[in-house]
Amino acid sequence: MDLTRQQQQFASILPRITSFMSLIGSSSIVVDVVQKYRKRGNSNSKPTTYHRLMLGMSFCDIFMSGGLMMTTWPIPADTPDTYTTYGNDATCKTQAFFVQLGIGAPFYTLCLSVYYYLVIVKDSRPNLILERCMHFVCLSFAFGTVIASLALDLFGYAKYFCWFSAEHDLFRWLFWFGPLWAIIAIVAVIMSMIYFDIVKQEKKQRRWKGVNDQGATTVNSNSGGTHNRENRNLRNITPRRSVRVSDSVKSQAFRYVGSFFLTWIFQTIARGMETAGQGDSVPYWLSLVGVTLLPSQGFFNFLIYIRPRYEQHRKRHPEVGKFVTFFRVNPLFAGCNCCHGVLRTIQSQRVWNRSAREGSLSEGGTSNNVANSDSIIDYNSQEEECESEQDSAEAGQVLNDDSSQEDVGR
């Protein structure tokens, strides 16, 4: 399908925006995990398997987002019917190199779903050996396919950017779409198992609550023998796990998988239509949405990653605006004094405007309101407080292995 000049412009510009957003989001996750390694003395700040998996996924997404942010620029300049091409064969292969490294992100999503399965269903976390195997599989496949593609000279022009050229469609399936579709199916199965386990445990908890209430009534009206019999029944239907995962962990798991499906669903549909022999009939809007969302998973992951600390900060400081709170909990801006000053000014203006709307701004209260607005977000003095909030918020997402195993053993 031949594209008009305007359609080519949209397909070239929109992915740059989402790639830049994803690049910022993944970089924020990397900075946050690295900061945790720098302050490992704090037990709440100790990096876990969850953080290391997010670190690996973010690195893969940074490579892919960086490559896709260039869109058509690295394509050889003599390529016909292509918008804004300034590159050559070397730049094209370089872009394809970084784009192909992004296949590691879906593999890390699979590992993350396995991690949540172990946490939610099995009340445990992967041991060090299993975690190392996860990293090895993800990184070895990503770098292995890149090296093989360079050795076989598979990279070239691929419509919207440089990747596997059209004559090497088989390797698109072997090195990308085949593993991707398999991962989508496996992740769907794992998340279904997690969902049914949650439903099962909730039913057990409701039954336990009902029998508990009934047992309390029976104790008041019946003899001790009935009391003992009710206690035995109560023990039989009490949920197997004495330590249950919080709702925030469950919601985090489904949000990560939801962002993964949202990123790849449109590309999957378009590729399925091409495989069915309907490549010429693929709607332009479907291709445009697919190529725009392709590099966006890093940004979605970042929003999900900081959600617990954002919500906790909002609860502790409800007077702080949402926009200011968002930048306050962003690891990229945590140590930027200039950014703190800007956010402090924004918050001061917000308090001023609120006081003006309420009609309480007087000549004598002006300085007090401004002083109060400065005291609302004194970033320099509250840095340690915010770090403790972030650490405690994330500490609630994962199980403590030692305490969990001890309680379950009891």
Side-chain angles (χ1 to χ4, degrees):
M1 179 179 62
D2 295 332
L3 302 179
T4 64
R5 183 75 171 179
Q6 186 178 16
Q7 289 177 334
Q8 292 179 2
Q9 290 176 348
F10 277 112
S12 176
I13 295 175
L14 291 181
R16 292 171 187 166
I17 299 175
T18 54
S19 296
F20 178 76
M21 296 169 59
S22 183
L23 196 62
I24 296 297
S26 296
S27 300
S28 300
I29 296 176
V30 171
V31 169
D32 186 71
V33 178
V34 171
Q35 288 177 349
K36 290 182 179 296
Y37 275 98
R38 294 177 59 184
K39 53 181 181 179
R40 282 182 291 180
N42 186 352
S43 59
N44 286 337
S45 301
K46 184 178 180 181
T48 62
T49 301
Y50 164 74
H51 297 106
R52 289 186 287 270
L53 291 177
M54 292 303 301
L55 180 65
M57 185 190 302
S58 298
F59 269 122
C60 293
D61 185 78
I62 287 175
F63 290 133
M64 183 176 180
S65 299
L68 290 176
M69 191 166 59
M70 301 295 103
T71 57
T72 58
W73 290 343
I75 297 176
D78 57 350
T79 303
D81 300 328
T82 305
Y83 178 73
T84 60
T85 57
Y86 306 107
N88 51 39
D89 185 65
T91 59
C92 187
K93 289 183 178 180
T94 302
Q95 183 188 36
F97 174 89
F98 288 111
V99 172
Q100 180 58 26
L101 285 178
I103 189 61
F107 275 89
Y108 270 109
T109 303
L110 173 61
C111 295
L112 193 64
S113 64
V114 172
Y115 165 80
Y116 276 115
Y117 173 82
L118 295 176
V119 170
I120 297 174
V121 179
K122 299 298 183 181
D123 272 346
S124 64
R125 282 189 288 179
N127 55 36
L128 187 59
I129 297 177
L130 179 57
E131 180 184 344
R132 289 177 176 176
C133 291
M134 290 179 176
H135 291 290
F136 175 79
V137 171
C138 297
L139 298 178
S140 62
F141 186 87
F143 283 94
T145 53
V146 166
I147 295 174
S149 300
L150 290 174
L152 298 175
D153 194 20
L154 304 178
F155 292 146
Y157 170 64
K159 191 175 181 179
Y160 295 116
F161 48 85
C162 289
W163 189 46
F164 294 105
S165 55
E167 60 268 20
H168 298 120
D169 188 69
L170 174 62
F171 290 94
R172 293 182 180 181
W173 280 100
L174 294 178
F175 290 169
W176 191 278
F177 288 107
L180 175 64
W181 287 11
I183 290 173
I184 291 176
I186 297 174
V187 169
V189 172
I190 293 176
M191 298 310 296
S192 298
M193 296 171 64
I194 293 176
Y195 172 78
F196 287 119
D197 180 79
I198 293 174
V199 172
K200 179 181 178 181
Q201 292 303 320
E202 288 178 348
K203 290 182 179 179
K204 285 186 177 181
Q205 290 175 352
R206 286 195 295 268
R207 291 177 57 193
W208 175 84
K209 182 178 180 180
V211 172
N212 191 25
D213 295 340
Q214 181 180 359
T217 304
T218 306
V219 169
N220 295 331
S221 58
N222 294 340
S223 62
T226 304
H227 180 205
N228 294 333
R229 185 167 57 255
E230 293 294 342
N231 282 338
R232 287 195 299 269
N233 294 334
L234 179 62
R235 288 194 299 269
N236 290 335
I237 68 171
T238 299
R240 174 178 61 86
R241 292 184 283 277
S242 58
V243 179
R244 292 299 301 162
V245 186
S246 64
D247 292 336
S248 62
V249 179
K250 304 172 187 176
S251 61
Q252 286 288 94
F254 286 100
R255 284 186 175 94
Y256 278 123
V257 175
S259 68
F260 170 69
F261 285 145
L262 178 62
T263 301
W264 294 105
I265 185 63
F266 296 98
Q267 280 284 347
T268 299
I269 295 175
R271 187 60 183 176
M273 295 179 65
E274 293 177 358
T275 304
Q278 302 178 9
D280 294 336
S281 61
V282 176
Y284 168 73
W285 68 267
L286 182 62
S287 300
L288 180 63
V289 174
V291 74
T292 302
L293 291 178
L294 183 61
S296 62
Q297 186 176 0
F299 178 71
F300 294 146
N301 288 342
F302 167 69
L303 296 180
I304 301 169
Y305 182 83
I306 67 170
R307 184 187 64 89
R309 69 180 66 173
Y310 173 85
E311 293 180 348
Q312 186 162 355
H313 193 278
R314 286 284 296 169
K315 289 179 181 178
R316 294 193 178 187
H317 306 283
E319 72 280 0
V320 180
K322 296 180 180 180
F323 177 80
V324 176
T325 302
F326 177 79
F327 281 92
R328 179 69 180 93
V329 300
N330 191 328
L332 285 182
F333 303 100
C336 179
N337 293 329
C338 179
C339 299
H340 294 171
V342 173
L343 296 180
R344 188 159 47 241
T345 302
I346 295 175
Q347 185 64 14
S348 300
Q349 186 65 37
R350 179 175 178 269
V351 174
W352 183 292
N353 295 336
R354 183 175 59 187
S355 301
R357 287 195 304 268
E358 294 175 354
S360 61
L361 185 61
S362 61
E363 182 178 358
T366 301
S367 60
N368 292 333
N369 283 329
V370 175
N372 290 336
S373 66
D374 287 337
S375 64
I376 289 175
I377 312 179
D378 188 357
Y379 288 102
N380 294 328
S381 63
Q382 293 184 4
E383 184 67 26
E384 294 182 358
E385 178 186 352
C386 183
E387 288 181 357
S388 63
E389 289 178 9
Q390 295 174 2
D391 297 335
S392 60
E394 291 186 354
Q397 295 185 49
V398 295
L399 290 175
N400 184 291
D401 287 336
D402 297 334
S403 61
S404 299
Q405 296 299 333
E406 181 180 354
D407 292 337
V408 172
R410 292 175 183 174

